[in-house]
Amino acid sequence: MDTRLFQLAGEKDDSNRYPFAVMVKTRAPMEAGVQGECSGVLISPNLVLTAGHCVCVRRKGVTPDSEARFVIDGSACSEKAAVVVVNYEKSAGQRGAVLTTRTQLVRGDVRPHPKLQVVVDSQGKVVSSEADLATVVLSQRVEGTDVPRLAEVEAKEGEIVVVVSYGYDEVLGGLEGQRRFKAFKAVRVLSSEPGQFVFEQPDRGLFKGDSGGPVLVVHEGKSRLGGISTAALGEEATFVSTYFHRDWIAAELERARRLE
């Protein structure tokens, strides 16, 4: 096996730099997300932000040109999702440091963005995408995990971003369920899709589990949550800007705070 691919897949976060990146699981395997699993990010102790297509399934759509289309919107979503918070711990072993995984599972209610609508053609290409976001309102608080601050400005073309996720890969095998991070360049804004960016990706098969994971940008030396990965859909690796959708996110945060 080409070990270079492991480097392309990113670095394992065994030092817990990004513990706010979580796994999101639904009861609709092979329909929502990738085999029913995606990534997400804690933006408050009881609220997770993820991609809409991670928790809402695609259905056949009707279009004027009669072409085969599939639509992902708020009409066919899982009501519940399970969120897995992961922390890595190192301990001494006979052959050196041993890495163990400590997890916490919390269930929550799914709330898709009211404007969520993704149209995919019969070949899996994204025809259009709007507000591919959803939240999971957790049934209990996740304590002891810092959450990222939201970006206060929009990501810029050519800017370096860090994607954190629990990869499902079709090339390597063995990376599923590991929290990994990798720096990419935000190549350009999708002019036809407001609030969306395309970022470089060396191999499409490596990053099918990235969807829903946090995309971090660095402003003035500080890391901020600038987007949510939607890399599992279509032919290009994309992310949705959190700054563009900041008003909706603020409303979701306030709603979650009132439910505590």
Side-chain angles (χ1 to χ4, degrees):
M1 179 182 291
D2 185 357
T3 57
R4 183 181 65 90
L5 293 177
F6 283 99
Q7 297 176 347
L8 295 177
E11 180 179 347
K12 187 174 182 179
D13 186 25
D14 53 12
S15 61
N16 294 310
R17 293 178 61 180
Y18 308 109
F20 47 75
V22 299
M23 285 187 276
V24 176
K25 301 186 178 186
T26 69
R27 294 182 178 179
M30 303 305 292
E31 295 179 2
V34 178
Q35 292 194 338
E37 299 186 8
C38 266
S39 301
V41 54
L42 276 167
I43 56 174
S44 83
N46 69 331
L47 190 68
V48 167
L49 182 63
T50 187
H53 72 263
C54 285
V55 291
C56 302
V57 300
R58 62 181 66 185
R59 57 179 178 78
K60 288 186 178 180
V62 178
T63 58
D65 55 13
S66 298
E67 281 193 49
R69 292 284 192 268
F70 296 91
V71 177
I72 302 170
D73 59 20
S75 67
C77 302
S78 297
E79 294 183 0
K80 303 281 185 179
V83 169
V84 182
V85 184
V86 176
N87 277 281
Y88 297 107
E89 298 176 346
K90 290 182 180 180
S91 58
Q94 292 182 345
R95 298 183 178 181
V98 177
L99 187 67
T100 58
T101 304
R102 180 166 52 87
T103 63
Q104 177 185 1
L105 187 147
V106 184
R107 300 189 186 279
D109 297 324
V110 170
R111 284 177 54 83
H113 193 294
K115 293 185 178 179
L116 166 64
Q117 186 176 68
V118 181
V119 179
V120 181
D121 68 16
S122 59
Q123 303 302 313
K125 182 178 180 180
V126 176
V127 178
S128 64
S129 179
E130 181 179 5
D132 189 1
L133 295 170
T135 58
V136 182
V137 184
L138 303 180
S139 60
Q140 65 186 71
R141 290 170 57 93
V142 174
E143 305 290 356
T145 299
D146 293 334
V147 300
R149 291 186 59 181
L150 296 172
E152 298 172 351
V153 296
E154 188 62 278
K156 299 179 177 63
E157 293 194 13
E159 192 168 37
I160 299 298
V161 297
V162 176
V163 180
V164 190
S165 68
Y166 294 82
Y168 168 83
D169 67 277
E170 296 176 341
V171 177
L172 300 176
L175 296 184
E176 184 174 358
Q178 295 182 11
R179 185 171 68 239
R180 307 181 75 86
F181 63 94
K182 176 70 176 177
F184 297 96
K185 182 183 291 184
V187 179
R188 68 183 188 278
V189 180
L190 283 173
S191 58
S192 59
E193 312 292 346
Q196 287 206 356
F197 287 77
V198 176
F199 61 90
E200 288 180 348
Q201 192 177 68
D203 191 303
R204 290 290 294 127
L206 289 174
F207 305 97
K208 289 296 185 72
D210 276 5
S211 274
V215 177
L216 305 170
V217 297
V218 179
H219 292 146
E220 299 179 353
K222 297 181 180 180
S223 180
R224 297 286 186 262
L225 179 61
I228 294 296
S229 172
T230 51
L233 287 182
E235 298 176 335
E236 295 183 295
T238 58
F239 69 87
V240 180
S241 163
T242 51
Y243 181 77
F244 185 85
H245 295 281
R246 61 191 180 279
D247 291 342
W248 173 76
I249 294 172
E252 289 294 294
L253 283 166
E254 176 59 24
R255 182 180 182 277
R257 185 191 65 80
R258 293 198 304 268
L259 292 173
E260 288 186 312

